[in-house]
Amino acid sequence: MLTLGALVGRVELELAFAGGVPATPHEAVRVAGLATLTLPQLLEGEPQRRLEPGSLVLLTEMPFRLRGRAEVALETLLEQLALDGCAGLAVSVLSGAHQPFSLAVREVSAALGVPLLITTAPPRQWARAGRDLTERRLADAEARAGQLTTLVQQLPTRAADPEAMQPIADWLARALRAQVLVSEPGSVLAASPETAAEALAEAFLRGHREGLARDRSQGPHTRLVPLSSAPPAPVDDASWGGRVAAVGDLAAVGAVSAADAGNAVLAVARRSPPFDDADLRLMRHAARLLGLLDQARREHRAAADAAHATRTAAVELLLDAEVDKARRVMATQAPGLLTPDAVRVFVVETPQDRRDAVLLRCEAGTAGRALVVADPREDRRILVVEPIRPRRTGDAVATALTRLVAELGADASLGGSGTYPMVMLADALQEAITAQRFALRRPDAVALSAQSTDLVSVLPRDAARRWARGLLDPLLRPDAQGEQMRDTLPTALAYPYAVAARRLRVHRNTVRRRVAKAAELLDMDFATVRDRATVGLALDLLADRHRPERSLTLVGGAPPTLKSLLASPEARAWADNLLCGARGDRRNLLTTAAVWLAHDAHIEPTARALGLSEFTVRSHLRALEGHMARDLGSLGGLRDLQFSLHILTGEVGVTNPRADLCSTP
């Protein structure tokens, strides 16, 4: 839209501000259209209608100087222009004519804020200018309609989506070429660009400090619009600056909205040009849409809080062995979830500031198969209660939580219980807490103590520990070097050396040197899966402090060697349960697994040996992970696959190094 300053700058219009009228305050006034009026029409009482806001009125057929009745009519016209919000009054005069306005008319003009202009251009030039203004206005209207269409298209498919406001903020920032912030007391809901909070706080504070002495045409120009169904007109920095300055930090906008709007607020700022009426209307439309999203967000949060309170109440009832009451509480929210009579409990521990985010990820990962609540007694702990249905396939909840903890890194840990009757949930929780504490000492920070899925738990305790001590005897000597190697091996065998070094807070060359020394003392090659799995099992056996005693059950009374340990009925039952799902898969996953382990977990030679593509081999291994509920990228997953295959098929051999020491008490 053109301004008075732009029209004055067009040579063909020969337009200028009248003598004695300051140009600077009026140059930025926007002109919406042109209205032409002759002096005889004015004297007859025209215009007898409201003029469109922003119109520039052109008065023609003027005498050399206005006097008497004409002067009075002109003063009346100025009053009407002020009431109608017109841009100004231009008078057509002959070239070289003197000032047509008397002092009285100029004083009325100054008092009403309606600028006076004179032009010597012929009428045809102004007719062309009028058509140009009309075309520009139509183009602006079409552009604004397109903007509104695009704005509506920014609405998300899910109104309660936490990121739903960001696309609208990004679009509004582009449309207005401004900094845009959507905030509520204490938090930023959307910002475009990311530095908008700092920029807006600076703009508001600057406007307050400079006050009326600042030239507002130079910016920054700021507006605040509360997000509500019927928001008031936008508020500029002149009225809000003092209240923002009273807050004095980057939360200023949110704090002001809390005091004055009682709601979230849309804040917009830009250097130049000033916001016009169309910009303000666009802000109000955007604020209405943002207000709807904010309402949906609040309602969703209230519903989520109510659902969380329900789940927490149900868990508390289960801990008190009030199973029937817990089932009634959860009947509407999750029908049938607590129907089973058996249960398993997991404990996830994470830093307090990350617990809410991790809680949401746990809920997403368990996908309605478990109750997930924040432990009200411990601000770092999340409880996951999984009802166990008869004849279930796989262990999806444990697998999902194990992967989640691996993704979260060293700050998270996971403990799990065995299967308990539902009325003994409190006992299951205590076992899971104990397992989680034990997990803190394990490289993968995971300890799932369910007896049916843990190889360490099913091996005869005394014999297994005797075997482990015999195998690791060179590392068990009470000297500094042996202690360093014992501390390094669990992590170094489970992770690449660079990752192990970060976890152990030593240099990777130190890790490499200690591992090489341990391999030399044990006469093993840690480049092979077989030797890594064997030593990893021995280390886990010696680290196990919480498992109850088991009777020594070995085939033929054989001495405690690894082969004899794996030949026990308990171990065979464990392997059969672990691989039962994979055996029924039509893709012959166990053959792929055996060849993959024989090639030390390398995909390319495995694919060549099987005559398959690398993609197919990876697909088989992912399917095997699902059947076993194991992560084959971890040492524990590789170990369980290695030994279960040996137990059931004999296709993957196991070594028994240092056989002379394996029977050492």
Side-chain angles (χ1 to χ4, degrees):
M1 190 177 292
L2 291 175
T3 62
L4 284 178
L7 291 177
V8 169
R10 294 174 65 164
V11 178
E12 71 275 13
L13 295 181
E14 303 176 24
L15 183 66
F17 286 97
V21 177
T24 302
H26 305 292
E27 285 181 337
V29 174
R30 297 180 180 269
V31 180
L34 182 67
T36 304
L37 188 67
T38 65
L39 182 60
Q41 290 174 331
L42 177 64
L43 294 176
E44 291 175 2
E46 293 289 343
Q48 297 182 4
R49 56 181 175 81
R50 287 182 59 85
L51 295 170
E52 189 170 353
S55 296
L56 175 63
V57 176
L58 176 64
L59 186 61
T60 61
E61 300 182 19
M62 288 287 295
F64 177 75
R65 184 178 295 276
L66 291 169
R67 296 181 183 275
R69 183 167 167 241
E71 184 176 6
V72 173
L74 190 61
E75 292 177 0
T76 303
L77 176 61
L78 287 173
E79 292 175 355
Q80 181 178 351
L81 297 186
L83 290 173
D84 293 345
C86 293
L89 173 64
V91 174
S92 178
V93 298
L94 297 175
S95 178
H98 293 287
Q99 168 68 269
F101 302 113
S102 66
L103 178 60
V105 171
R106 293 199 302 273
E107 288 176 348
V108 171
S109 167
L112 297 175
V114 179
L116 297 172
L117 302 96
I118 57 175
T119 177
T120 57
R124 65 177 181 276
Q125 291 292 349
W126 278 102
R128 188 178 296 114
R131 289 193 297 272
D132 183 32
L133 286 170
T134 301
E135 291 172 358
R136 286 175 177 269
R137 186 173 181 184
L138 288 174
D140 288 343
E142 291 175 355
R144 294 301 180 185
Q147 283 183 330
L148 292 177
T149 300
T150 308
L151 173 60
V152 173
Q153 290 173 348
Q154 307 308 309
L155 286 172
T157 55
R158 289 183 60 252
D161 187 342
E163 301 297 325
M165 294 186 181
Q166 189 60 48
I168 295 179
D170 291 336
W171 178 86
L172 189 61
R174 292 192 300 269
L176 298 179
R177 298 181 182 179
Q179 305 262 357
V180 175
L181 177 71
V182 184
S183 66
E184 65 179 359
S187 67
V188 172
L189 303 177
S192 185
E194 294 181 356
T195 57
E198 291 85 348
L200 280 156
E202 179 182 354
F204 278 104
L205 292 172
R206 176 184 173 188
H208 174 68
R209 286 194 301 266
E210 296 180 1
L212 297 177
R214 177 165 65 92
D215 181 1
R216 298 192 181 277
S217 65
Q218 302 300 315
H221 306 283
T222 55
R223 289 294 186 275
L224 283 166
V225 188
L227 306 188
S228 61
S229 58
V235 186
D236 65 12
D237 55 326
S239 58
W240 287 83
R243 284 169 280 177
V244 174
V247 179
D249 61 14
L250 296 182
V253 174
V256 171
S257 70
D260 295 79
N263 206 338
V265 69
L266 167 65
V268 185
R270 71 181 177 194
R271 178 64 57 183
S272 63
F275 297 114
D276 60 15
D277 291 340
D279 293 333
L280 300 182
R281 285 195 297 271
L282 193 60
M283 289 182 207
R284 285 193 287 268
H285 289 312
R288 287 190 179 96
L289 293 182
L290 290 168
L292 293 175
L293 296 179
D294 181 56
Q295 180 181 356
R297 179 183 63 87
R298 293 173 185 274
E299 291 175 354
H300 177 75
R301 185 167 59 188
D305 290 344
H308 175 71
T310 301
R311 293 193 297 270
T312 302
V315 172
E316 292 294 329
L317 289 170
L318 290 174
L319 289 172
D320 292 336
E322 299 283 357
V323 177
D324 291 336
K325 291 182 179 178
R327 287 170 175 163
R328 287 196 295 271
V329 167
M330 291 299 298
T332 55
Q333 187 176 125
L337 178 63
L338 298 182
T339 301
D341 294 322
V343 70
R344 190 176 180 190
V345 178
F346 300 90
V347 169
V348 179
E349 187 164 297
T350 187
Q352 180 182 357
D353 58 347
R354 298 175 59 189
R355 185 172 74 165
D356 291 344
V358 175
L359 180 70
L360 294 177
R361 294 186 64 179
C362 289
E363 290 176 346
T366 56
R369 293 185 293 264
L371 279 177
V372 181
V373 300
D375 190 344
R377 301 169 185 81
E378 172 56 57
D379 56 15
R380 293 169 51 89
R381 186 179 296 157
I382 297 170
L383 307 182
V384 180
V385 178
E386 180 195 10
I388 305 297
R389 297 185 178 277
R391 297 183 298 278
R392 65 171 183 158
T393 58
D395 200 357
V397 172
T399 302
L401 295 176
T402 300
R403 288 178 177 170
L404 173 60
V405 168
E407 293 171 4
L408 293 174
D411 292 335
S413 58
L414 170 66
S417 74
T419 301
Y420 281 75
M422 188 77 76
V423 294
M424 296 180 64
L425 183 77
D427 295 333
L429 176 59
Q430 289 305 313
E431 182 180 334
I433 292 174
T434 300
Q436 183 271 323
R437 292 169 181 164
F438 175 61
L440 296 174
R441 302 194 296 273
R442 302 190 64 163
D444 58 358
V446 174
L448 303 179
S449 59
Q451 302 295 319
S452 62
T453 62
D454 188 358
L455 174 60
V456 172
S457 298
V458 302
L459 294 178
R461 182 179 186 275
D462 289 342
R465 289 175 63 84
R466 286 170 58 200
W467 167 79
R469 282 196 298 269
L471 178 66
L472 301 177
D473 181 68
L475 308 182
L476 300 179
R477 294 167 186 171
D479 55 33
Q481 186 181 42
E483 183 177 355
Q484 289 175 347
M485 287 187 289
R486 291 195 302 274
D487 291 341
T488 301
L489 270 183
T491 305
L493 293 178
Y495 300 98
Y497 289 165
V499 177
R502 287 198 300 271
R503 286 176 171 262
L504 295 170
R505 293 182 174 84
V506 297
H507 196 276
R508 62 178 178 274
N509 289 339
T510 302
V511 174
R512 186 178 290 107
R513 185 173 61 253
R514 292 176 182 175
V515 171
K517 182 62 176 177
E520 178 185 351
L521 291 174
L522 297 175
D523 191 21
M524 286 195 168
D525 180 7
F526 289 144
T528 65
V529 171
R530 180 186 60 193
D531 287 355
R532 289 205 309 274
T534 301
V535 173
L537 175 61
L539 290 168
D540 284 346
L541 286 167
L542 294 185
D544 185 14
R545 295 287 185 269
H546 301 287
R547 186 161 54 89
E549 294 285 345
R550 283 178 174 267
S551 61
L552 179 60
T553 308
L554 296 174
V555 175
T561 64
L562 180 55
K563 287 185 178 180
S564 60
L565 290 173
L566 296 178
S568 68
E570 293 92 341
R572 187 166 191 85
W574 166 82
D576 182 73
N577 180 68
L578 186 65
L579 298 180
C580 64
R583 285 204 304 270
D585 196 295
R586 59 181 178 81
R587 289 170 289 185
N588 202 4
L589 302 181
L590 297 186
T591 298
T592 301
V595 177
W596 181 62
L597 290 176
H599 288 87
D600 293 318
H602 295 300
I603 297 291
E604 185 178 355
T606 302
R608 285 199 303 268
L610 292 170
L612 301 174
S613 68
E614 294 182 19
F615 175 83
T616 301
V617 172
R618 290 191 176 92
S619 176
H620 284 192
L621 294 176
R622 284 195 296 269
L624 189 61
E625 284 183 321
H627 287 304
M628 297 175 58
R630 295 292 190 276
D631 179 7
L632 296 183
S634 68
L635 180 62
L638 286 174
R639 179 200 70 189
D640 286 356
L641 178 60
Q642 170 90 20
F643 294 141
S644 60
L645 278 174
H646 168 76
I647 292 169
L648 295 183
T649 70
E651 292 184 18
V652 180
V654 297
T655 57
N656 193 38
R658 301 185 55 79
D660 56 319
L661 295 175
C662 287
S663 59
T664 303

